[in-house]
Every structure is written in structure tokens, then in C-alpha cells.
Amino acid sequence: MARIRHDGPLIIGGGLAGLSAALEAAPAKALVVTPEPLLNACSSAWAQGGLAAALSPKDSAVLHAKDTEGAGAGLVEPEAARALTERGRETVEWLASLGAPFDRDETGGFSVSLEAAHSLPRVARVGGDGAGRAILSAVVAAARASKHIEIWEDGRLRGLIQDVDGRVRGALIERSGGRVDEVFAPAVVLATGGVGGLYEVTTNPSALRGEGLALAYGVGAEILDPEFVQFHPTAIDVGLDPAPLATEALRGEGARLVDGSGAYLLGDHPDADLAPRDIVARVVHAARADGRGAFLDATKAVGEAFPHEFPAVFSACMRAGLDPRISPIPVAAAAHYHMGGIVADDEGRTTVPGLYAIGECAATGVHGANRLASNSLLEAGAFGRRAGRAAAQEVQPEKAALRPARASKDLPPEAMQELRAAMTRFAGVVRDEEGLTALIAVIDRLVETNPHGVVLTTARLIAEGALDRRESRGGHYRVDYPDSLPVAEHTRMRQAVLIGA
């Protein structure tokens, strides 16, 4: 095991949040660690809809924040929402300056589209449905060209190094060949993504399983609202893992959700299909559960324009032998985004000194119980930049005794498959006490034979949070408690860590 000292932020994750932090850390040296080559196994690159920001004359950061709070079902922190939305235009312009090819209107301004629960069109897009990959490609190019950034594309986070006073001092990184190195740094920035890979049906890279969240919890970081998982209602149901996504922008253009007989799933009002994602996901789930089927019909709204208006969706459908110009697309609700996560402020600081969290693994208070569409890329860029600047100012304190750090391990494939199936069945779109209790029993049994499988910690946090929340709110729906309580309250979880031992 090598011991490496890095005199700058150690950033775990190479998505939009991680690379935004790395770019803004200059002139401090930033070390970015990611398990695969940049652009791979990264949710940012898969985002289709775009980046939400108040860009039109009729729009404002105040209105964007109001929509954000409305979607979040009472659990959005207003100050955090304003901190996010006020940085909308500057984030889009910064990304454009790096080369992100946002669609433009006839005047040269940013072209915007409408997505669910937005009161106005405000989603900056690229090529119809290619925003994530196009934006991240520009950021990757900038990062590779930056002399202050070093990138390891063969490193997995296996543990956090903590001193006896509780400060995070570095991380255990597994490199190719299985060697685990100790990397010490003034600050560790977690940009490890979400938890979609814990579910059997997901639109996320299946490698994203909440390991960063679990390791942060293990060193005493506070976790917020882990039970709130957003299920996207229109994953393309063609038997692939992960499932391709049919962007919400299709419904913004007039595509409709129908059952096998062609009847509208959400009613015949023109805007019915643009309800918040949790509502639409439950309707899709119910239609499939009772045998009616669920399909996204864009044959009239998009039709022959599919290849150039929505090339990613068109390509995914055609690869599966389905032509969306003439046939409705079979869809299913799939795990898509984790609203909960590691408590962090808008500069990424967690409750543990020396540890930052940004992007989907963080809970900054801006998403509440149900994330507003296309706020994820905005948060990754806006707060990722702020975290990079803040982490670059950290100075490693004097030497101190270290707590023992044990490297985490992967679950065996059969155990991972069992966990994913149980999470989808019992902690999916619809939940109840019996199912969640059964899920916790599955997790307990798997822990007995896999005590160092940290993904089980994340699964347990989600399951216990869902069991304890005896109401329905946002992305969390309990059939045995279908109503929301009068007062919205956060779930807060924190593992006690003995300091000074």
C-alpha cells in the first residue's frame, strides 16, 4: 500500500459536479479520481433534458425558486433554492464559455424548452436530447487541458481516512490491479453520484450505488432524507440494464402517455402529462401493474422529426427494433435520481471537517421530496464550482493520529442481484410497512455474509428512512399512509463516531 500526499483537493468523481470543482480549484492542484474513463459510468453524460435556468425575459430566479419549492413538496430549503436559481444564467454562460453547444434562438440567445412542473420554458438544451453528454464533453476537454488538474481514470473510492479528532484526512483508493493506496489531502470532495444501481430498473449507470454516501455516513456525516428516490416515469422498457431514457422534453413537445388501448393515462387535458414526476411515475406503475401497459405516444407530436429533434431517444428505440415515428414507446418507471444524500451547504461543506459533497450524492436542500426537472445539472455546475473554490482554501492541519481505515468490498454478483430486486420490489415507486420490513430483513441477511459491502449501508438508510416516514410525500409513496402529514419534516440520520479514541 502506497502513501501519497496531495497538496490540493482530492475529488472523487468525474461528472459535471466533480470536474466543475476541479476547474474552479485553480491555482490549487486538483486530483480527480474516477473508476472509468471520463464520460463513462457517469449520470451527467446521460442527462437528456438540459439545464434549468431563468434565461428568458419573462422568467426570473425568484420564479424558478418558487417552482423548485413547489416540486419539492414542502422540504425544499428556500435559501438554498434561491442560492441555486440565482446562479442559473452564470452557470449556463460559464459552460457555454467552455464550449458547451447550447441550442440558440434566432437572436442568438439560449433556446429554452418546457418540462414538467416548470411554470415557464427554462430548460437550456443541446440538440434536443443530448445536453448531458455535450455539456460534459466540453467540461472534460477543459479539465484535460488544465495544468492544475491530475486525473486518475482507474481509481475507486474504498474508504475515508479520518484522524482521531474526526477530521477527514484522505481516502483509500483502489487502482487497477487491485492495489489500494492511501491518498492524503487537505480536503476530500465526494462527487460520487446517486443510488440508481441499487435498483433493478434504473436509468443511471448501474455502477452508481451510493458508496460515497455510505462511507460518509461511516465517518459521522449527517445524512438527509435518504428515502426520497425519484423514479422517472418514462424509461424505455425494452429489457436493457440500465434502461434508456425517454426525456421529459418529449411530453413538453406534446407526446402523451397512453395505455395499451390508446387511452390517456393522465386524462385528456393538454398539460396533464406534465404533472410532477412522482405523480406521473405512480400512474405509469399502476397501469403496468394492472395489465393495461404504459406507452409514450410521440407519433403525432414528434413523428418524422424524431431523428434530428430527439436523436438519443430515436437511436435507443431503433436499436431495440422500435420505430418511435410510427409506434408508441413502451415505458416503465425507473430509479432516476436521489434527492436525499450527504448534508452539505452550497459550497459543499458537510458536517465532518475536511469532507465535502457535491452533485447527486449531496443533499443541499434544493430538491426536497421531489427534484424539479433539469435542476440536477444546474446544481452540479453551480455548487460544484463553489465547492472547488472553497476546498482549494483548505489547509491540512498538523499531523495527528489516524483512526483505522478498512477498505470496502463489492457484493458478489448474486448478492447484488438479490439486493437490486428487493429494492425495486419493496422500496420502489409504491411502498408499505410489510415490504419495507421484508427489505430490511434481506439487507440484514446479506450483511451477515458481506460485512464490508458498503452498498448495504446505503440500502438500509433508504429502507429505514422509508419505513419511519409514515406519510406520502414527493417521491416517497406509502400505500398504507397515502396522505401527507400537515407539517413537512426532514429525516436526519447520523452515525456516532467515537472521537479521540
Side-chain angles (χ1 to χ4, degrees):
M1 178 183 289
R3 304 191 80 185
I4 300 167
R5 180 182 176 87
H6 177 71
D7 293 322
L10 168 60
I11 299 168
I12 313 296
L16 180 58
L19 293 182
S20 295
L23 287 167
E24 291 293 293
K29 298 290 186 181
L31 173 58
V32 175
V33 176
T34 180
E36 294 190 27
L38 297 180
L39 290 173
N40 290 357
C42 168
S43 291
S44 300
W46 293 17
Q48 290 183 350
L51 192 152
L55 298 168
S56 64
K58 295 181 179 179
D59 205 357
S60 69
V62 172
L63 187 55
H64 186 182
K66 182 179 179 181
D67 289 347
T68 297
E69 291 181 48
L75 287 176
V76 169
E77 299 298 328
E79 289 185 4
R82 285 293 299 272
L84 179 69
T85 61
E86 287 173 355
R87 292 174 173 83
R89 176 173 285 276
E90 72 176 58
T91 302
V92 174
E93 290 177 344
W94 176 70
L95 292 167
S97 75
L98 296 179
F102 289 103
D103 294 348
R104 303 282 184 160
D105 59 25
E106 61 276 3
T107 68
F110 295 105
S111 180
V112 292
S113 62
L114 180 67
E115 291 190 0
H118 288 272
S119 57
L120 288 170
R122 68 163 62 92
V123 180
R125 291 162 53 185
V126 180
D129 59 3
R133 191 167 191 86
I135 292 169
L136 191 60
S137 293
V139 176
V140 166
R144 291 199 187 280
S146 297
K147 293 182 179 179
H148 75 282
I149 299 176
E150 180 181 357
I151 304 170
W152 293 356
E153 295 176 88
D154 67 341
R156 282 191 63 184
L157 175 66
R158 288 301 194 182
L160 294 171
I161 301 170
Q162 192 175 29
D163 66 26
V164 294
D165 294 323
R167 183 184 179 89
V168 167
R169 295 294 193 115
L172 300 178
I173 304 296
E174 181 182 340
R175 305 293 301 276
S176 57
R179 186 184 82 243
V180 177
D181 293 335
E182 293 180 327
V183 183
F184 294 89
V188 175
V189 181
L190 298 180
T192 52
V195 301
L198 293 178
Y199 286 84
E200 196 169 41
V201 183
T202 180
T203 62
N204 303 152
S206 57
L208 300 182
R209 297 169 177 170
E211 291 167 308
L213 186 154
L215 292 170
Y217 177 75
V219 297
E222 187 174 44
I223 306 301
L224 187 75
D225 298 335
E227 65 271 28
F228 289 113
V229 179
Q230 185 173 80
F231 296 88
H232 200 292
T234 55
I236 302 173
D237 183 28
V238 288
L240 296 178
D241 179 25
L245 180 64
T247 175
E248 204 160 75
L250 284 162
R251 283 175 282 139
E253 293 296 318
R256 303 302 302 267
L257 283 161
V258 299
D259 65 15
S261 68
Y264 292 138
L265 291 184
L266 287 108
D268 57 7
H269 190 278
D271 293 334
D273 289 29
L274 292 175
R277 284 179 177 173
D278 61 298
I279 295 172
V280 182
R282 287 196 293 276
V283 169
V284 168
H285 176 81
R288 288 168 53 84
D290 65 18
R292 289 183 293 136
F295 302 84
L296 183 65
D297 187 353
T299 55
K300 295 183 178 65
V302 181
E304 293 301 318
F306 243 115
H308 61 270
E309 291 290 339
F310 297 96
V313 176
F314 181 73
S315 176
C317 289
M318 294 298 284
R319 286 196 303 270
L322 175 72
D323 189 339
R325 295 171 295 188
I326 58 176
S327 300
I329 304 167
V331 293
H336 182 64
Y337 192 87
H338 194 206
M339 278 79 70
I342 307 160
V343 171
D345 65 16
D346 62 3
E347 292 186 323
R349 293 184 184 87
T350 72
T351 56
V352 176
L355 183 66
Y356 289 67
I358 52 177
E360 193 172 348
C361 73
T364 60
V366 299
H367 301 310
N370 193 33
R371 174 180 64 86
L372 182 66
S374 292
N375 267 358
S376 52
L377 290 182
L378 172 60
E379 183 194 21
F383 291 173
R385 296 178 72 196
R386 289 173 62 78
R389 294 192 288 266
Q393 302 303 311
E394 294 275 1
V395 177
Q396 189 75 281
E398 295 298 319
K399 289 185 178 181
L402 302 177
R403 296 176 57 84
R406 185 192 297 270
S408 65
K409 295 183 179 180
D410 294 335
L411 291 187
E414 62 276 8
M416 193 69 230
Q417 183 178 358
E418 181 180 3
L419 177 65
R420 295 181 75 190
M423 289 290 288
T424 290
R425 180 179 179 186
F426 299 126
V429 177
V430 174
R431 305 160 173 185
D432 61 26
E433 182 175 359
E434 181 181 1
L436 292 166
T437 302
L439 172 58
I440 291 171
V442 170
I443 295 169
D444 286 343
R445 178 168 48 76
L446 291 174
V447 168
E448 291 179 4
T449 52
N450 304 276
H452 306 304
V454 295
V455 298
L456 295 170
T457 297
T458 304
R460 180 188 294 278
L461 292 172
I462 294 169
E464 290 183 349
L467 183 61
D468 290 345
R469 184 171 288 278
R470 294 181 174 89
E471 65 163 347
S472 292
R473 185 178 299 275
H476 167 77
Y477 185 77
R478 289 277 299 264
V479 292
D480 46 353
Y481 294 97
D483 298 322
S484 297
L485 294 174
V487 178
E489 295 185 357
H490 289 293
T491 297
R492 296 184 182 274
M493 297 179 171
R494 192 166 186 173
Q495 176 173 288
V497 176
L498 184 62
I499 303 300

